């Protein structure tokens, strides 16, 4: 290791770890860490901590189950702030629209539509647990 701490992964709290992990697994095309896959033998899925990795096994996102999680009310200024959000980029407006459609099909809600912005077209979504995330052209 070096002189500084290294970021291992970003952890999202959620009330259903499997559901949110599966949402991001499909959205981002990543995979479960070994032994985090859903059970296929009929045993109950009681996972309360799950990790998603890239094809090389590098951790990308983790999900921690909690009993209660108030949804962020952003972009409203009162209520529950977003506290954290994820940014994802795509190379073109066409890809932005393709990813918007995918995110919505997977269950995301659109919080902000700035796809017509000439400098930085983007959408802000809420994932299944209410966490905001952005997809924009960069």
């Amino acid at each position: 290791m070096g002189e500084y701490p290294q970021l291992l992964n970003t952890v999202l709290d959620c009330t259903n770890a499997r559901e949110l992990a599966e949402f991001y697994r499909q959205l981002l095309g990543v995979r479960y860490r070994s032994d985090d896959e859903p059970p296929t033998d009929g045993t109950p899925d009681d996972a309360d901590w799950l990790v998603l990795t890239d094809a090389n096994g590098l951790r990308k996102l983790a999900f921690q189950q909690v009993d209660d999680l108030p949804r962020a009310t952003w972009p409203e200024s009162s209520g529950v702030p977003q506290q954290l959000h994820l940014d994802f980029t795509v190379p073109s407006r066409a890809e932005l629209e393709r990813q918007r459609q995918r995110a919505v099909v997977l269950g995301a809600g659109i919080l902000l539509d700035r796809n017509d912005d000439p400098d930085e077209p983007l959408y802000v979504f809420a994932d299944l647990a209410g966490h905001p995330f952005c997809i924009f052209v960069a």
Side-chain angles (χ1 to χ4, degrees), residues 47-137:
D48 60 1
W49 176 267
L50 295 167
V51 176
L52 296 177
T53 70
D54 65 15
N56 297 317
L58 296 174
R59 292 175 180 222
K60 294 299 178 181
L61 287 173
F63 305 88
Q64 174 176 269
Q65 187 141 334
V66 296
D67 291 333
D68 185 48
L69 181 69
R71 290 181 73 91
T73 55
W74 187 93
E76 299 297 322
S77 59
S78 63
V80 180
Q82 62 179 319
Q83 299 177 2
L84 170 138
H85 74 269
L86 302 171
D87 282 344
F88 302 105
T89 63
V90 294
S92 68
R93 287 178 183 269
E95 187 62 14
L96 177 64
E97 287 308 313
R98 189 175 86 76
Q99 296 302 330
R100 178 195 58 78
Q101 291 174 359
R102 289 186 63 247
V104 170
V105 165
L106 291 170
I110 297 176
L111 298 176
L112 178 68
D113 176 346
R114 272 194 8 212
N115 77 72
D116 59 353
D117 186 302
D119 298 321
E120 188 177 67
L122 69 84
Y123 288 100
V124 180
F125 300 92
D127 68 20
L128 303 179
H131 301 18
F133 68 94
C134 301
I135 300 178
F136 60 95
V137 177

Side-chain angles (χ1 to χ4, degrees), residues 5-83:
Q6 300 299 303
L7 179 64
L8 181 60
N9 46 228
T10 299
V11 181
L12 298 175
D13 283 356
C14 50
T15 58
N16 186 327
R18 178 66 65 197
E19 179 182 65
L20 194 59
E22 188 60 18
F23 170 83
Y24 279 105
R25 185 191 70 75
Q26 291 182 45
L27 181 71
L28 302 175
V30 292
R31 57 187 62 174
Y32 288 105
R33 173 181 64 177
S34 180
D35 296 327
D36 279 359
E37 297 91 356
T40 58
D41 61 1
T43 59
D45 187 354
D46 58 358
D48 60 1
W49 176 267
L50 295 167
V51 176
L52 296 177
T53 70
D54 65 15
N56 297 317
L58 296 174
R59 292 175 180 222
K60 294 299 178 181
L61 287 173
F63 305 88
Q64 174 176 269
Q65 187 141 334
V66 296
D67 291 333
D68 185 48
L69 181 69
R71 290 181 73 91
T73 55
W74 187 93
E76 299 297 322
S77 59
S78 63
V80 180
Q82 62 179 319
Q83 299 177 2

